Every structure is written in structure tokens, then in C-alpha cells.
Amino acid sequence: MKLLIVNPNISQSVTDLIEAEARRVAAPDTRITMATATAGVAYIETRFEALLGAHAVATVAGERLGEYDALLVAAFGDPGLLALKEALDVPVVGMTEAALMTAAQLGQRIGIIAISHRITAWYRECVDQYGLLSRLACIRHLNDPLRDPGKVQVDHAASLLDLSQRAVLEDGADVLILAGAPLAGLARSLAGRLPVPVVDGVSSGVCQAESLVRLQPGVARLGSFARPPIKHHAGLQPALAALLNPRNA
């Protein structure tokens, strides 16, 4: 299968982390293509920044239409995920969605480790959107400014481990999600140092995308994920117009 993974922020260093983790877990017959947003922010913390990220993902999805069997939105918070599920006839998976569904199978109470305080309100809304707010034990977060989103794991290694331990011991988390593309791959190194399962959004997303392609469950023709109705449009980038083209229905 051909899997397109899109980093909705502009940090190539983060894309490199995502790709490394994706290739570690991908099946031998999965062909991965990476893409990084060409416009936007270094890392996404707010709803407005997520809006910019959603535009970036949609643009890439339209530019490469027909070149992939599934698409992974590689940012926690899943910018544009539900909208792309409407526009595409291939599986579209988000890091948050995949991580939460995986964590829900591993424990009752879910703890999330985040890279900033500002990001937590948006994350909480995302958990609620996926129907798991009642199972959220906590969202613990870093407080220090980020020098480079691609270096978070190195710069804040001790703090991330401490936050993870406190989420288990003080908040009662049964399973932890290391949230955000800048933390891609960290779960592998922390898993043996924590007393509960640790979930990575990138690896969860890759595995779930592979499963959905192999399951071949069909395409939504009715319901809330049916394609947008055909109507006049103007002024759109060609890539975005392609997603509205009825020939792709």
C-alpha cells in the first residue's frame, strides 16, 4: 500500500522524527511518502494554528490525489481530519484519533503528555470530540519554551519522564500517550521505564491506516462523511478544487 504522511507544520526536523518512527513500524509492503507543510508555523499549539495546518494538509492531499491509498495527518489534534474524511475516498487517519483508540484498548484511564500549556485546551476538545473525555485522567505538559520542536526529546528528556511518572502515580493513568509529532518515537525509549503502556501517535496511525486499507470496509456514500455536494466554486487553489471535483467521487 501507498501511505502519504503529512506534517502540517513547517519543521523539517519534526518530519524527520515522524518518518523515522513510521518506517520502524510500517509493514514491509507499505510504501511511505512524506510531506511537510510549505506554509504555516513551526509547531501547532492553538485552534487558529490548527486551521493553518488543516489548509496545508488539504493542499498536499489535493496535489497528490490518486497517488496514495491512505493518508495520515501527522500532528496531534488532527488538523483537517474530519473534513478530509469527507473529501477523500481513501482512509484518512489522525495521530490523535489513532493514539486514543489504541490507548482505549490498553487501559481505562488515559494520560496525555503534551509539549506546552497552551496546547492543552485544544487537546481536551479533541479528546471530547472522539468521545473519550470521561476516560481522560490528565493532560500533563512542559512549561519551558521550545528551542527547536525537533529537539524537544533531547532538551526536555528529564521533564518528559517526570511528567509521565506523575501522570501514573498522581493522576492514576493506566496508559500514556506521548502527544505531538515532536515526541514521535519517544514512547519506545520510555516504555521500559514506566509501569504502564505508552502509546505513540505516529506508530498507531501507521498501523491503523494499514489495517483500514486491508479491511476494505467501503466508502461513505451517505451520512456525515459522504462527499460534499456538488456546487459552484471559485478562487480555489487547483489542489483544493481537485478535492471538490465530482470526477473523484
Side-chain angles (χ1 to χ4, degrees):
M1 64 165 280
K2 295 175 289 186
L3 175 61
L4 174 61
I5 303 178
V6 185
N7 173 12
N9 68 54
I10 61 172
S11 298
Q12 182 60 42
S13 60
V14 174
T15 301
D16 293 342
L17 289 172
I18 295 167
E19 181 174 11
E21 179 60 21
R23 294 193 182 281
R24 287 188 193 106
V25 75
D29 62 343
T30 296
R31 187 167 64 193
I32 293 173
T33 301
M34 301 298 302
T36 306
T38 58
V41 296
Y43 60 97
I44 298 171
E45 290 184 279
T46 69
R47 301 175 190 89
F48 183 73
E49 292 169 352
L51 179 66
L52 301 178
H55 181 273
V57 177
T59 301
V60 173
E63 289 172 343
R64 305 192 185 191
L65 199 61
E67 299 177 9
Y68 49 91
D69 300 312
L71 186 150
L72 172 59
V73 181
F76 213 81
D78 300 345
L81 177 67
L82 299 185
L84 285 167
K85 287 178 184 286
E86 292 180 358
L88 294 174
D89 287 343
V90 300
V92 187
V93 177
M95 277 181 57
T96 312
E97 177 188 54
L100 285 170
M101 298 305 120
T102 302
Q105 294 180 299
L106 293 171
Q108 184 64 23
R109 290 177 55 77
I110 301 168
I112 294 176
I113 308 302
I115 61 174
S116 77
H117 171 70
R118 181 64 190 273
I119 215 167
T120 58
W122 174 41
Y123 278 7
R124 188 174 296 274
E125 291 171 4
C126 292
V127 174
D128 191 21
Q129 175 179 271
Y130 293 126
L132 289 171
L133 190 59
S134 65
R135 294 176 62 176
L136 182 65
C138 63
I139 302 179
R140 294 262 182 180
H141 58 84
L142 296 172
N143 287 309
D144 298 327
L146 304 185
R147 173 178 62 89
D148 176 349
K151 302 293 185 183
V152 174
Q153 298 183 37
V154 175
D155 292 347
H156 302 279
S159 295
L160 289 166
L161 177 59
D162 178 64
L163 290 171
S164 299
Q165 291 171 333
R166 291 170 62 190
V168 175
L169 299 176
E170 299 177 19
D171 302 317
D174 299 316
V175 56
L176 295 176
I177 297 172
L178 300 182
L183 300 185
L186 182 60
R188 291 177 181 273
S189 61
L190 290 188
R193 305 170 67 184
L194 294 167
V196 299
V198 187
V199 172
D200 180 281
V202 171
S203 53
S204 297
V206 169
C207 290
Q208 290 189 16
E210 291 174 335
S211 294
L212 289 174
V213 170
R214 285 172 172 79
L215 286 170
Q216 297 183 351
V219 176
R221 300 299 181 189
L222 291 175
S224 67
F225 286 136
R227 289 187 59 83
I230 299 171
K231 64 185 68 170
H232 175 72
H233 58 79
L236 295 174
Q237 296 171 258
L240 298 181
L243 296 179
L244 293 173
N245 189 332
R247 288 177 299 178
N248 297 316

